[in-house]
Amino acid sequence: MGNWGGMAVARAAVAELREFAAEAGCAVDRGEELGGGWSAVHYPDQPDGAAAALARRTGAPVFTVAYLDSDVGFVEAATFSGGRWKALLNRRTAEDYGIPLDRFPVEAALAGALDWAAAAGLLTADPDGIRAALTGSEAFAEDLTHRLLGALGLDFTALGEESA
């Protein structure tokens, strides 16, 4: 059985992010420090608008993803200043579920991701890597999430080890 939960990544301590996620309506299962002041929390269910709510609460850019049975990932990211972008991970599989791909244009997501990375102070964002994650296909959407976070410039080594 796959993952039906989600996660949030933000520049905040795990305890803060856990508290903020709870305030945004997310029940947190676990959390881990990712390094560089970034943390991730995982939860069994993600309410809509969690990224924007967390960005307002943390005062920092926030990346969230919700999984559909580990087959598809719905990314939502936001900045404190109101910038937002959405993306769909595992597009080929999403199409099998009947999810309309045109609601998640790759170029708009790429532009939003690069703006988000700049707002987050992530100077090593890789546009080609971001595009590859947004258009790639994997057995598990979580693998594409890790690729996307890495391409955005986040060190997710702890996340990868925890999720393995």
Side-chain angles (χ1 to χ4, degrees), residues 5-6 18 21-30 41-47:
R18 182 182 294 272
E23 289 173 7
C26 303
V28 175
D29 288 338
R30 70 182 201 282
V41 293
H42 303 265
Y43 35 81
D45 192 22
Q46 173 182 305

Side-chain angles (χ1 to χ4, degrees), residues 44 81 103 132:
S81 63
R103 295 176 70 188

Side-chain angles (χ1 to χ4, degrees), residues 1-154:
M1 183 169 183
N3 184 356
W4 288 84
M7 78 169 181
V9 176
R11 185 170 286 153
V14 169
E16 287 178 308
L17 189 52
R18 182 182 294 272
E19 176 186 331
F20 300 155
E23 289 173 7
C26 303
V28 175
D29 288 338
R30 70 182 201 282
E32 63 258 349
E33 302 288 340
L34 301 179
W38 290 85
S39 299
V41 293
H42 303 265
Y43 35 81
D45 192 22
Q46 173 182 305
D48 286 338
L54 284 169
R56 283 190 303 273
R57 186 64 175 92
T58 62
V62 174
F63 174 100
T64 65
V65 61
Y67 296 111
L68 174 62
D69 199 23
S70 288
D71 292 333
V72 177
F74 296 93
V75 172
E76 182 183 351
T79 63
F80 180 73
S81 63
R84 297 175 74 176
W85 61 279
K86 292 184 177 189
L88 183 66
L89 300 178
N90 244 1
R91 295 174 74 82
R92 195 172 316 143
T93 304
E95 198 168 32
D96 293 341
Y97 275 97
I99 297 168
L101 302 184
D102 61 341
R103 295 176 70 188
F104 301 92
V106 172
E107 293 306 313
L110 175 61
L114 291 171
D115 289 345
W116 182 91
L122 300 170
L123 305 177
T124 60
D126 173 14
D128 293 332
I130 294 169
R131 182 187 307 281
L134 294 175
T135 59
S137 180
E138 294 283 348
F140 300 103
E142 291 87 347
D143 295 334
L144 290 170
T145 299
H146 295 170
R147 286 176 46 194
L148 179 56
L149 289 170
L152 286 167
L154 288 166

